[in-house]
Structure formats: structure tokens, C-alpha cells
Amino acid sequence: MTGTPQLAPTWRLWLVWGVSVAAYIVSVTNRTSLSAVGADAAVRFDADASTLSMFAVIQLAVYGGMQIPVGLLLDRFGARPIVTAGMALMASGQLVMALSTDVGTAIIARVLLGAGDAAIFPSVLRVVATWFPQQRAPLMVQLTGIIGQTGQLLALLPMAALLHATSWTVAFGSLAGLGVLFTILTFAIVRNHPPTSDADVSVNTETGAIAVVRSSADLRQGFRESWGHPGTRLAFWSHFTTPFAGTAFVMLWGFPFLTAGEGLTPAMASLVLSAFVVFGMLVGPVMGALSSRHPLRRSRMLVLPTIAIQAVVWLVVIAWPGPAPLWLLFALALALATGGPASMIAFDHARTHNPSHRLSTATGIVNGGGFIAGLIAIFLIGLAMDLQGAGTPDTYSLEAFRLAFLTQVPLWVVGAAFIVVERRRTRVRMGLDEPRTRRRRRDRDPS
């Protein structure tokens, strides 16, 4: 590598980052492309609720399963070829989706989409790590995540409007075309590292320190060592419990619930879902600041209250006699929007309680928690709809949706219980609390 650390020209740095973030926006749009057209998908594929859930479940499962392979590939080839391949896979998936008329083909499309989506965000994070000074990387990661979520807005009203104004093939074919465009853009503009270096490294411009950027999990240490630390388990259950309700709502079941269940117009339902995205972008920086200022009270002050707020507001919506008022549905969107920012606290736990040589493994374990919960929630809601005989758009009803969304309650209860247990064990491990056995012995000691 070159001797003195130097930064790339400012215009080039922002161009590479801008194209990378735009690719991430497109990937989020692709990821949530069924959110506003789930009923149309059910009609096109003659699919019941369980089958419709399976589209999202398979997509998320592939996304989660590809995280470690993507990390290994990033370490081998760098960000440019991986983000380009990811965009190409998503374009292929949306093209297959545009032309598909049966469930089997649609599932193949979601597999391609999940695999391509899995490559984008890790690649963009690697671009940030190698192109920006080490001191600015954390801020740029947060900014990247916030901007990327605007992709959900494109998947709501614009996607539904395009589909209803044209056809299924045109709407999803347009997403495929957008993917082709960004396949070309990322290959042409994104580079693995600045021209001032010849390796993927992170530079501290204050000290001149240079560190090699790595993305993959450290498989040599294995999952056992990471999982053995209660801090990793606390992070896993935090990520398991906080975001799944919002994931299920915005990826698949929110739009049908708001339109067929609550009786909102498609435009108003899209507005509620858009509010979910905007609220999440506003809450994120606030929750991040609070997490930084109160590192020993993150679970009690942020994570557990977030779970409680989501559960309480959902139960109020479910128990409301008749359709819920609009203000309550916006309150639900706000409550669910807190889940994404709260789930990021899990990665703070992973960084705090794991040494650098196994941080990637711990991060992979933690990231899996949210996907596992999301898969379970989406599937259980669809299964509950089918068991009630309300598995198709013409049989959707408010009462069926209410009972179906109650399947989220056990996930909140189990997750919150494990958070409490693992928080206690983590504090004991850190020396902040004494083991309960010692406390009992001291109480019994007559001296």
C-alpha cells in the first residue's frame, strides 16, 4: 500500500458513495416491492395467505443465509463486483417476477431477489469503511441506513399506482429495468478503494493508523465462543424482539390490513405506511444518541420500553370496537417504527462484549435474530388467516386480521423474557451485579 495515507478527491468520494447509497435505496425498494401489492399478488397467483407469506419468508431466509457467504466474497473480491452482482441478481429476480404466472416461478424470483439484496448493504458499508476517514465512518453508516430506508416509500404508493395504471408485467419489469441501470452504474463508478491505496484499508487521518477492512465472519473461532457470551445472547434477543412487528407490517401484511381490514383507501393506507418509514428515520438518531449516552441502561431504557409500546398499541388497535380511528393507526405506525432503531442497539451490545477477532461472527448471530423473528411472524400471521378461512383477498376481514396479529404476542413475551435474563447475566459477567447465589449465601451468613 502507498506510504502516507491520503484521501480521494472529494468529488470522487461523494460520487462513489452516492451511487452506492442509491443502489441501496433500489435494493430496499425491491425488498419491499410486495408491500403495497400483496392483494394483487394473491389474485395473480391464486395464492392463499400462507402462500403469500411464503414469498416474504423465503426472501428473508435467503437474505439471512447469504450474509456470511457475502462477507467471505467481499473479503476476497471487494465491494465493486459484489454490489454489481447483487444488482444483477435483483434485476433478474424482478424480471422473473414480472413474467411469472404461478407460485413456483414467483418463489424462484424471490430467491433471486433475496440473494441479490443480501449483497448490497454489506457492500455499501465496505465502501464507507474504505473510502471515508475512520473517524467519519460511524456517522456515514448511520446516514447510509437512514437514506436507504427511503426506498420503502418508492415501494408503496408509486409501485401500486404504476401497477394499477399499467399491468403486473410492466410494474415489475420497470423494477427489473431499474436494476439493470444500477448494475451498469455500480460497475462503472464504484471502486473497491480510493486510487491512493492499493488495498481495502481504513485510515485514521489523525494518527495515520491503517487497518485492513474485513467483512466476513471469523469461522475459525466458530459460533460457540460468540454465543457463549451473555452479551451476544442479549444482543440476539434484542434484535429478535424489537423489529419483527414492523417487518411483518411493512413487508406484507400492513397494506391488506389497512385496506381490506380497516377500510382505508389505498392512498391513505400508503400514507400510513409512509409514516412508518418517516417516523423510523426521525426516531433513529434520537435513539442512537440515547444509546451512546446511557450504555449501561440501553435494555431497560430503550429496548424493553420499545417492545412494550409496540405490544400495547397493537393490542389497543386489535381491541378497538370496529375500525380503528385514523389517529390510532398513525400511532401504530409510530410505535412499530421504533423497532428498527431499537434493534440497532443490539449491534452496540455485540461490539461491546466481543473482541475484534470475533466481532463479525457475533454480528452475524445478532443479525440472524431479527430475520428469524420476521420469518416466524410473517408466516404465523398468514397461517392464522388461512385457519380462519380468510386466506384470500375476497375473504379478508377485520376480525380475521385481529386474531392473526395476536400471533405476535408470544414472540414479544419470549423475547422480552430472554432479554431480562441475559441482561442480568451480562451485568454479572461485567462485574456490575453479583450472582444471586452469592447474595443468598451472604444473607444466610449470621456474621
Side-chain angles (χ1 to χ4, degrees):
M1 196 192 62
T2 55
T4 304
Q6 296 179 359
L7 297 180
T10 302
W11 68 268
R12 188 166 187 178
L13 182 151
W14 289 109
L15 177 62
V16 170
W17 179 77
V19 171
S20 300
V21 171
Y24 179 47
I25 292 173
V26 172
S27 78
V28 173
T29 301
N30 280 279
R31 181 190 309 167
T32 54
S33 55
L34 281 182
S35 58
V37 297
D40 299 273
V43 172
R44 180 177 179 85
F45 301 114
D46 192 23
D48 58 20
S50 295
T51 303
L52 198 60
S53 293
M54 195 59 63
F55 290 160
V57 166
I58 289 174
Q59 178 185 333
L60 287 176
V62 173
Y63 183 102
M66 286 293 294
Q67 290 303 300
I68 290 178
V70 164
L72 294 170
L73 290 170
L74 280 169
D75 284 341
R76 177 67 179 84
F77 299 106
R80 181 196 186 195
I82 304 306
V83 71
T84 301
M87 296 308 302
L89 280 172
M90 283 196 291
S92 302
Q94 294 294 32
L95 180 60
V96 173
M97 196 69 174
L99 301 176
S100 62
T101 56
D102 60 272
V103 171
T105 307
I107 287 176
I108 293 174
R110 304 315 280 184
V111 169
L112 291 171
L113 194 64
D117 186 19
I120 306 303
F121 190 55
S123 298
V124 178
L125 294 186
R126 192 178 182 96
V127 166
V128 170
T130 56
W131 279 80
F132 284 89
Q134 195 174 89
Q135 302 93 313
R136 293 174 62 186
L139 173 62
M140 297 309 300
V141 168
Q142 291 290 336
L143 187 60
T144 298
I146 291 172
I147 294 175
Q149 295 314 303
T150 59
Q152 297 183 59
L153 299 176
L154 299 178
L156 295 172
L157 189 56
M159 181 64 182
L162 179 61
L163 187 150
H164 296 145
T166 55
S167 66
W168 179 276
T169 300
V170 171
F172 282 88
S174 298
L175 286 178
L178 191 62
V180 171
L181 172 62
F182 273 88
T183 300
I184 297 171
L185 280 176
T186 52
F187 182 79
I189 296 175
V190 175
R191 293 294 182 269
N192 289 350
H193 45 256
T196 52
S197 62
D198 54 15
D200 285 9
V201 296
S202 176
V203 177
N204 187 318
T205 53
E206 292 181 356
T207 64
I210 301 172
V212 176
V213 175
R214 296 192 62 80
S215 308
S216 62
D218 190 340
L219 300 179
R220 292 172 300 174
Q221 292 293 331
F223 288 90
R224 183 180 300 176
E225 295 177 358
S226 294
W227 185 255
H229 196 294
T232 303
R233 299 195 297 270
L234 172 62
F236 173 89
W237 289 109
S238 297
H239 201 262
F240 178 97
T241 318
T242 48
F244 74 82
T247 299
F249 193 77
V250 77
M251 279 200 69
L252 189 61
W253 289 117
F255 197 86
F257 166 72
L258 293 171
T259 52
E262 293 289 348
L264 299 186
T265 64
M268 186 56 68
S270 295
L271 183 60
V272 173
L273 290 172
S274 299
F276 167 89
V277 179
V278 174
F279 288 154
M281 295 170 66
L282 296 176
V283 170
V286 176
M287 201 165 289
L290 290 174
S291 176
S292 298
R293 292 179 183 178
H294 305 280
L296 298 180
R297 295 192 290 171
R298 293 166 177 162
S299 297
R300 277 190 176 180
M301 190 173 72
L302 297 172
V303 175
L304 291 173
T306 293
I307 297 167
I309 289 170
Q310 292 184 69
V312 168
V313 176
W314 246 129
L315 290 175
V316 171
V317 171
I318 290 171
W320 196 272
L326 191 58
W327 65 264
L328 182 55
L329 296 177
F330 276 104
L332 176 64
L334 174 58
L336 296 179
T338 62
S343 71
M344 295 297 102
I345 296 172
F347 297 107
D348 292 334
H349 288 309
R351 285 191 296 270
T352 300
H353 301 296
N354 284 275
S356 58
H357 69 269
R358 69 169 189 240
L359 179 56
S360 293
T361 301
T363 300
I365 292 173
V366 172
N367 203 26
F371 288 107
I372 292 171
L375 300 180
I376 295 172
I378 291 172
F379 178 74
L380 288 180
I381 292 169
L383 180 62
M385 293 292 289
D386 280 342
L387 292 177
Q388 297 176 81
T392 56
D394 57 337
T395 59
Y396 288 164
S397 68
L398 180 57
E399 290 304 318
F401 275 118
R402 284 172 168 171
L403 292 176
F405 281 115
L406 282 175
T407 59
Q408 299 174 111
V409 173
L411 296 177
W412 281 317
V413 172
V414 170
F418 274 108
I419 289 171
V420 171
V421 170
E422 298 302 344
R423 178 182 185 272
R424 168 70 183 174
R425 291 173 176 170
T426 301
R427 289 180 63 84
V428 170
R429 180 75 168 262
M430 296 173 66
L432 299 174
D433 291 338
E434 292 184 3
R436 291 181 179 175
T437 52
R438 293 181 182 176
R439 188 172 295 174
R440 288 173 185 159
R441 289 173 185 169
R442 186 175 60 194
D443 292 341
R444 292 175 183 174
D445 189 349
S447 62

